[in-house]
Amino acid sequence: MNKKRIKDFYIYLQSQQTAQHFLHQCYKKRQISNAEAKSYENCNTFMYYLEHGYQFYTSGKDSKPMLQPILYFYGMTHLIKACLLTKRPNYPESTSMLAHGVSTRKRKKKDYTFIQDEIKLQHNGLFPYFSEHLFSIRQFPFGKIKMYDLLSLIPEISSLFRLQNSEKLTIIGKLDSRILKFPISLLDSYHLTKKAFIQRIQTYLPNIEHIKSESSFLSVELEKPISESYGPFFFHCLDHTIHFPIFREHDIHISEVMIHYLLLYNLSMLSRYETEWWGELLTTKPEVDYPFIIQFLTYTFEKIPLLLGQLLYQMHLSK
């Protein structure tokens, strides 16, 4: 993944002419009626979504952690809406889509910790809408999920779990390689034979060309490299290593964009409405929550614009 190329593409889209041309190509490919008229109608909104999203992220980077969840969450939602406009020219089709699409417990318990908190999915709103139209997910593998389990799926958080002697992900390859090497020990944690394990993962991979069983690894050669961070295969934004869940309960088939949305939503709600807890966390750092939250905020700033920019750039390449 070329970060500079994606950054350049964001800049390229910041004019009416280039934004309109890009939208027109997207709509033509999807055989949307009145593609040209719709592209002219939406190009300014598309540009502003991108610009506002970028400004929220920039402001967040320049702010203290106290405000970062709010700024990053709104930056993310603006970039998501820009992506949606490339596929749904009439978005939002109804006011129900303007809701967040998820909810948290209204009142926090006395011994509340972020890591053990849960978030619940709703039937309507932005989360189920973009999950369906950007990532083709209509049915979710969970109705509610803990922050601990979401954090377990983010490669950039792995080092903190490792320091707790509680590794959640294992490195199986790199983004530019067609070879993936799965530790044989995964067969025990997944309670599967080699054949059953391959059958489980091949649905989520490009075509498998060759499988080789080694002493401590199961080596899989793909037709082409993995190109996106989508469960159960997640990549690290700095070294481009591909990570795979060690435990079966974390084998969740959703985009990493969705994971960051859920975490940022909950953190933004805490920073807005649980000001005493949030202030004490950042000031006195009493819980293990603190390093996990700071690490997440550090990397979500880098990763989400990259993942959503990649989504837009792939649309440009496939026109």
Side-chain angles (χ1 to χ4, degrees):
M1 175 175 292
N2 190 314
K3 292 183 181 180
K4 184 180 185 306
R5 185 178 298 154
I6 291 173
K7 184 177 180 180
D8 289 346
F9 190 60
Y10 273 125
I11 295 171
Y12 170 76
L13 293 173
Q14 284 300 307
S15 78
Q16 289 182 336
Q17 183 177 5
T18 54
Q20 182 272 323
H21 178 73
F22 174 65
L23 289 177
H24 187 211
Q25 296 300 315
C26 291
Y27 295 162
K28 280 204 307 182
K29 183 183 176 184
R30 299 182 68 83
Q31 298 182 332
I32 292 170
S33 59
N34 301 318
E36 186 171 12
K38 283 293 181 184
S39 67
Y40 276 108
E41 181 182 323
N42 288 335
C43 68
N44 282 346
T45 303
F46 176 73
M47 285 169 51
Y48 293 142
Y49 279 149
L50 292 179
E51 183 180 353
H52 292 176
Y54 181 83
Q55 289 299 328
F56 274 120
Y57 273 104
T58 302
S59 297
K61 182 66 173 177
D62 295 336
S63 299
K64 294 185 181 298
M66 183 163 294
L67 296 177
Q68 284 179 342
I70 301 171
L71 295 170
Y72 290 163
F73 180 69
Y74 283 111
M76 182 180 191
T77 57
H78 277 73
L79 295 184
I80 285 173
K81 289 174 182 179
C83 292
L84 282 171
L85 211 55
T86 65
K87 298 189 175 189
R88 308 290 294 177
N90 296 317
Y91 173 82
E93 290 93 334
S94 71
T95 55
S96 66
M97 296 171 190
L98 301 177
H100 297 305
V102 291
S103 63
T104 58
R105 190 182 292 114
K106 300 301 182 188
R107 300 188 67 178
K108 307 304 180 186
K109 295 180 180 179
K110 181 180 178 181
D111 298 323
Y112 172 83
T113 62
F114 174 74
I115 284 180
Q116 294 304 319
D117 197 7
E118 289 184 332
I119 196 162
K120 186 178 181 180
L121 309 188
Q122 302 295 326
H123 294 297
N124 296 310
L126 182 59
F127 182 77
Y129 188 83
F130 83 74
S131 298
E132 175 181 354
H133 294 295
L134 296 185
F135 304 110
S136 301
I137 296 177
R138 295 175 178 83
Q139 292 186 327
F140 298 99
F142 52 84
K144 58 183 179 180
I145 190 168
K146 286 186 176 181
M147 302 300 100
Y148 181 87
D149 294 318
L150 292 171
L151 289 166
S152 298
L153 298 173
I154 300 177
E156 294 81 5
I157 310 292
S158 287
S159 58
L160 299 188
F161 284 109
R162 194 175 303 119
L163 290 169
Q164 291 187 323
N165 296 316
S166 180
E167 285 196 81
K168 304 301 181 184
L169 300 171
T170 183
I171 297 173
I172 59 169
K174 299 202 74 170
L175 277 178
D176 58 354
S177 173
R178 295 192 297 118
I179 304 295
L180 301 179
K181 291 193 172 185
F182 298 88
I184 290 293
S185 58
L186 288 175
L187 301 179
D188 292 331
S189 63
Y190 277 71
H191 309 293
L192 294 172
T193 64
K194 291 179 184 178
K195 182 179 179 181
F197 182 77
I198 292 297
Q199 288 176 337
R200 183 182 181 92
I201 64 173
Q202 68 182 359
T203 306
Y204 309 102
L205 289 168
N207 290 337
I208 296 176
E209 292 191 336
H210 183 68
I211 300 169
K212 182 180 178 182
S213 184
E214 303 175 12
S215 58
S216 56
F217 290 96
L218 193 61
S219 181
V220 176
E221 183 176 354
L222 307 176
E223 181 183 40
K224 59 182 180 180
I226 291 175
S227 61
E228 60 181 324
S229 199
Y230 194 109
F233 305 97
F234 302 101
F235 72 77
H236 195 293
C237 68
L238 295 183
D239 62 17
H240 295 175
T241 49
I242 299 172
H243 297 239
F244 186 85
I246 293 174
F247 301 104
R248 186 168 182 158
E249 60 265 30
H250 292 138
D251 181 12
I252 300 174
H253 307 137
I254 61 175
S255 167
E256 191 174 346
V257 171
M258 298 163 64
I259 294 169
H260 284 243
Y261 182 93
L262 295 175
L263 286 162
L264 275 176
Y265 170 79
N266 202 3
L267 286 172
S268 70
M269 294 296 282
L270 288 172
S271 63
R272 279 181 286 178
Y273 302 117
E274 299 292 335
T275 50
E276 182 179 355
W277 183 90
W278 184 243
E280 287 184 0
L281 175 79
L282 297 177
T283 304
T284 63
K285 309 169 187 176
E287 305 287 348
V288 71
D289 285 344
Y290 180 81
F292 280 89
I293 288 172
I294 293 301
Q295 185 87 329
F296 170 71
L297 290 173
T298 298
Y299 282 103
T300 194
F301 165 80
E302 297 281 350
K303 201 166 192 181
I304 288 304
L306 183 66
L307 292 176
L308 292 174
Q310 180 191 28
L311 189 66
L312 292 171
Y313 188 67
Q314 288 299 323
M315 294 178 197
H316 168 71
L317 293 180
S318 63
K319 65 184 181 181

